[in-house]
Amino acid sequence: MIKKEAAHIRKQFKMDHDLLNLYDILNVYIMKETNEIYHCERQPFAMLDREKQELYMGNFRKLLTGELDQKLFELKFLEEAEEPSQVMLHQGLVTGDPEEWQDLMLMLVDKMLVDTKYEKDTVITFVRGQYSRPTKGRNDEAEETGKDEVFAHPFILCSVNSTEQQRKTLLFDYVEREFKYNVMVDPIIKLSTPEQGFFYPSVTDNYSDVNRVLYCTGSANNPNPHFIEQVLNAERSVTAYEERTIFEDIVKEVVGEQLDITTLAQVYEEIHQVMETNEDEEEPPKLDYKDVERVLMASGVEHVTTEQVERAFETIIDNKNYELKASSVMPKFTSKSIKIDTKVATISISPQDLKYVRQVNYQGKRCIMIEIDEDVVIEGFTLSTETL
C-alpha cells in the first residue's frame, strides 16, 4: 500500500458517496468490570438515523487518518497461527449472510478479550461494505467517464472506541424559568477519537490484497503489539520512529556523535531527492547500505567506505541487507518538524531550512545563529539589528 491508496480509501467514507455501499453495522459493548460482552446490536447501516450515520462516517474517516508507518500499518498475516483471524475475516468478507458475518465478528471480539483488561467501558464497531474504484480516470471529452467501469472492493472495517462519563452540568429550563442540576448516567462513546482498529483487506496497486490487513492506531508510532499478534495474527511492523532511530544510530556509527549542521541539512536534502525521484513508483523508496553510503558521501562526509556502512547495519540491526523506508528516516521536509530544544527556547524549523541555522562560539559562549531575510517582530516591537 502507498500513501495515495490509503488516502483514496479514507475519502470514500462520506455521506451520499455513490461509489460506497455500507451494508451492516455491528456494535459490541464491553464492560470494564467484567471484561465481557454486555450488549451487541446489528443493523443495516441504511436503517440508522442520518445523524448516527454521520457520526459513524466521521469515526471511520478518523480511524483511517494518518501517515503510513506512523498511524497506519500494512501488516502481513502470520502463516502459522491457531484459529487464524485471516480465515474469519475472509469468510466474513465473502458471506452474504448477515447472521454468519455477525458470528464471525463476535469470534474476533472473543479474541480481543483474551489477556486484555479494558480500563474503560469499550465499544467495538464492525461495518461491512463495498467501495468501487474507476478503472481509468475521467475524460470529459469522451462519451464515457471513468465511473462507467469500476472495480468493486468489498471490505470489513473495525473501530475500537472507549467511553467516558458525561460531566455534571447546570441547565436553564426555559419553560419553568429555573436553573436545574443535571446528571446524565449514560456514557458517551468517543467516536471522534478511535483507539485502534483495522481495515480488511489491504490494497496493493489498486487491487484488494486478502493476505494483508491495514491496522490503525490512534496514537502515532504506538501500535498495540498484543492486538496485532494475538487478535489479528499478523506480523508486527517497524514504526517510522523506530526506523528513524535506526538510521540515526547507523549514521552515528559511521561518522561519530557530532555532525555539523551543513552536512545534516544536506543529508536530508539528498533523502528528499530520493523520495521525489521515486514518488510515482508502486513501492515506497527504500535505502540499503549502499544508498546510505551514497547519501553520506554526497553530503560531504569524508572517508566513508562501503565496508563501514555495511558493518554499521550489522552492528545496529544485525542485518546488512535491511532496507530503510526513505519516508521514515527523516522529518517532514517542508513542515516545521524539527525541534531544537535549549534551556532558553524551543525552535521549530523544517529540514529544508536547516541550512540557515548555525551553532557558533561568540565571546566564549555557544549560540544558535539563524539567517533571516526579514525583520524580527516580538510582541509588536521590531528588533534593531546589531553588527557583531
Side-chain angles (χ1 to χ4, degrees), residues 14-286:
K14 57 185 178 182
M15 298 295 292
D16 305 319
H17 196 312
D18 57 352
L19 292 180
L20 174 72
N21 289 310
L22 298 182
Y23 305 134
D24 294 286
I25 185 167
L26 172 67
N27 285 305
V28 183
Y29 197 96
I30 308 298
M31 295 288 289
K32 67 176 181 179
E33 289 86 0
T34 61
N35 211 47
E36 296 177 349
I37 296 176
Y38 178 74
H39 177 70
C40 70
E41 179 181 277
R42 173 178 53 81
Q43 288 179 280
F45 191 83
M47 297 298 291
L48 297 177
D49 295 337
R50 186 172 179 85
E51 291 76 12
K52 285 185 179 180
Q53 291 180 356
E54 291 175 347
L55 287 172
Y56 282 118
M57 284 293 190
N59 171 243
F60 303 152
R61 283 197 303 273
K62 186 69 175 180
L63 180 72
L64 295 167
T65 298
E67 297 289 334
L68 288 171
D69 300 316
Q70 295 183 35
K71 297 188 75 173
L72 305 177
F73 298 86
E74 185 183 43
L75 308 176
K76 184 178 180 181
F77 288 108
L78 294 169
E79 295 182 359
E80 299 178 0
E82 296 182 8
E83 299 181 356
S85 295
Q86 181 184 8
V87 174
M88 299 180 195
L89 286 168
H90 190 264
Q91 288 178 338
L93 193 70
V94 300
T95 183
D97 183 358
E99 291 286 348
E100 182 183 5
W101 176 74
Q102 175 176 319
D103 291 341
L104 289 164
M105 297 306 100
L106 290 177
M107 290 172 65
L108 282 173
V109 173
D110 289 339
K111 297 183 72 170
M112 295 181 196
L113 298 178
V114 176
D115 298 328
T116 300
K117 181 64 177 176
Y118 291 100
E119 297 180 357
K120 299 179 180 179
D121 287 2
T122 299
V123 176
I124 303 171
T125 300
F126 296 93
V127 66
R128 69 184 188 117
Q130 175 179 287
Y131 73 92
S132 301
R133 183 161 190 164
T135 58
K136 57 184 177 181
R138 281 185 176 274
N139 185 349
D140 294 332
E141 297 179 359
E143 293 182 1
E144 295 183 345
T145 66
K147 288 187 179 180
D148 292 324
E149 185 180 359
V150 294
F151 282 134
H153 294 269
F155 66 85
I156 296 172
L157 181 144
C158 170
S159 178
V160 180
N161 302 278
S162 63
T163 64
E164 63 181 359
Q165 296 299 319
Q166 298 191 45
R167 296 178 180 178
K168 300 174 182 178
T169 56
L170 190 65
L171 304 178
F172 180 72
D173 189 325
Y174 279 101
V175 177
E176 300 295 333
R177 296 192 178 187
E178 64 177 342
F179 295 96
K180 292 183 177 180
Y181 178 64
N182 184 54
V183 180
M184 298 293 292
V185 296
D186 296 331
I188 297 174
I189 303 170
K190 299 166 66 176
L191 291 177
S192 61
T193 54
E195 296 190 346
Q196 62 183 339
F198 62 83
F199 180 92
Y200 174 82
S202 184
V203 176
T204 301
D205 194 22
N206 297 328
Y207 290 92
S208 295
D209 187 348
V210 296
N211 295 314
R212 297 176 187 271
V213 60
L214 183 65
Y215 169 78
C216 317
T217 176
S219 179
N221 290 299
N222 190 27
N224 184 331
H226 179 271
F227 193 95
I228 290 173
E229 296 169 9
Q230 302 302 319
V231 177
L232 293 178
N233 305 134
E235 295 180 354
R236 188 182 180 279
S237 177
V238 179
T239 68
Y241 177 79
E242 290 170 334
E243 286 223 315
R244 189 176 305 170
T245 301
I246 290 170
F247 175 74
E248 292 171 357
D249 289 343
I250 287 172
V251 173
K252 290 177 183 178
E253 187 74 17
V254 175
V255 304
E257 291 287 332
Q258 291 190 341
L259 198 65
D260 66 81
I261 200 76
T262 302
T263 303
L264 182 59
Q266 190 59 40
V267 166
Y268 288 148
E269 179 69 36
E270 291 292 329
I271 296 174
H272 180 65
Q273 289 296 327
V274 171
M275 293 171 61
E276 282 200 326
T277 303
N278 298 274
E279 186 177 9
D280 297 326
E281 297 294 327
E282 294 179 4
E283 289 290 326
K286 296 182 179 181

